[in-house]
Amino acid sequence: NAGVMQNPRHLVRRRGQEARLRCSPMKGHSHVYWYRQLPEEGLKFMVYLQKENIIDESGMPKERFSAEFPKEGPSILRIQQVVRGDSAAYFCASSPTGQGVNYGYTFGSGTRLTVV
Amino acid sequence: QKEVEQDPGPLSVPEGAIVSLNCTYSNSAFQYFMWYRQYSRKGPELLMYTYSSGNKEDGRFTAQVDKSSKYISLFIRDSQPSDSATYLCAMRPLRRAGSYQLTFGKGTKLSVIP
C-alpha cells in the first residue's frame, strides 16, 4: 500500500525556468494539501485541493504559483519563473476526507527544489 | 509574536532518558493539536493527535495539552537512538469556512546518544 508519492525528489532549476512538482495521494484519498518548508523554518500551508477543485489557496503566493488536481492523474504544483527564494522543500499530504486537517495528514517525502 | 513557538534545540539526551518537547501558542482558537516526527530529508510522520486538554498515551509517547496555559507537550519515555529526529508540533482552530491549514512550529531537533 504505497504512501503519498512525490516526484521528483530533487529538482534543480535556473532562475526564470518553470518547476513542476507532482503528488500522487494515497489510494482512496481525494484530498491533497501542499506545504512549503523553507530552510530553518516550519512548514507553511500553501493550498488545499480536492479533485478538480481548489478549496483553500490562502497560503499560495499571488503570482507565479498555481496548483491543480485533475480528475485523472497527480496533483501538480507549478512555479513559473522561479527565483532563488523559491528554493525549499515542498511537501504534499493527503487525507481520505476533509477531516484530515483535524486528525493529521499523511505526508510524502517531499520535493527539494534548488534554484541556481 | 508568532502563533506557535517551539524551541529549535538541538536537544541531546542519553539513551533511556525521558524527553520533554514543548510548544506554546498564542491563538486561543486552536483546538486540534498534533505531533509529527521528521527524519532528515524525509517527510513529516504523524505521531499523535489530540483534541481535548489532558493526556493521551500511545506506547512510549504521551501528548499533553493545557489549553488554559496554551501549552502542549510530547513526552518520550525510554528514548532510543532511533528517536533522533526533528519533532514538529502542529495545530488548527475549530473548522471555519475556507480554513484547512495546519500551523506548525519550527521543530525541535532531538539527538539520543547511545
Side-chain angles (χ1 to χ4, degrees), chain A residues 25 29-34 45 47-57 67-76 93-101, chain B residues 95 98 100:
Chain A
H29 288 193
S30 59
H31 298 251
V32 166
Y33 315 80
W34 285 92
F45 171 82
V47 62
Y48 162 44
L49 309 103
Q50 294 178 28
K51 288 280 187 181
E52 300 184 279
N53 283 305
I54 297 174
I55 306 301
D56 181 357
E57 56 181 347
E68 63 176 10
F69 190 14
K71 188 176 179 181
E72 301 291 337
S75 175
I76 306 287
S94 72
S95 64
T97 71
Q99 292 302 308
V101 71
Chain B
R95 184 169 170 174
Y100 292 85

Side-chain angles (χ1 to χ4, degrees), chain B residues 82-101:
Chain B
S82 58
D83 295 328
S84 297
T86 296
Y87 289 79
L88 308 167
C89 63
M91 51 197 77
R92 64 147 290 159
L94 276 174
R95 184 169 170 174
R96 61 177 185 263
S99 173
Y100 292 85
Q101 59 181 281

Side-chain angles (χ1 to χ4, degrees), chain A residues 34-103:
Chain A
W34 285 92
Y35 281 73
R36 177 165 64 174
Q37 188 173 38
L38 293 165
E40 307 304 323
E41 294 289 327
L43 285 123
K44 303 290 186 188
F45 171 82
M46 298 183 76
V47 62
Y48 162 44
L49 309 103
Q50 294 178 28
K51 288 280 187 181
E52 300 184 279
N53 283 305
I54 297 174
I55 306 301
D56 181 357
E57 56 181 347
S58 58
M60 285 273 275
K62 295 287 185 266
E63 298 179 351
R64 302 188 298 107
F65 286 73
S66 62
E68 63 176 10
F69 190 14
K71 188 176 179 181
E72 301 291 337
S75 175
I76 306 287
L77 179 67
R78 183 181 175 202
I79 311 172
Q80 295 179 292
Q81 298 178 312
V82 296
V83 301
R84 287 234 171 99
D86 297 331
S87 296
Y90 291 82
F91 291 96
C92 168
S94 72
S95 64
T97 71
Q99 292 302 308
V101 71
N102 294 338
Y103 307 117

Side-chain angles (χ1 to χ4, degrees), chain B residues 1-44:
Chain B
Q1 181 186 12
K2 290 187 182 294
E3 276 195 298
V4 179
E5 300 273 6
Q6 185 176 10
D7 186 339
L11 180 61
S12 185
V13 302
E15 183 176 355
I18 296 174
V19 176
S20 173
L21 303 163
N22 312 295
C23 287
T24 59
Y25 61 95
S26 58
N27 187 348
S28 58
F30 286 139
Q31 296 291 329
Y32 295 93
F33 305 92
M34 291 138 220
W35 284 96
Y36 283 84
R37 177 174 62 195
Q38 186 175 22
Y39 291 113
S40 181
R41 315 299 271 179
K42 298 290 187 182

Side-chain angles (χ1 to χ4, degrees), chain B residues 40-68:
Chain B
S40 181
R41 315 299 271 179
K42 298 290 187 182
E45 171 194 7
L46 179 67
L47 285 176
M48 299 186 74
Y49 68 87
T50 58
Y51 170 69
S52 56
S53 284
N55 294 353
K56 181 178 181 180
E57 191 173 317
D58 184 1
R60 295 186 297 112
F61 298 92
T62 299
Q64 190 175 79
V65 174
D66 182 348
K67 291 185 181 178
S68 63

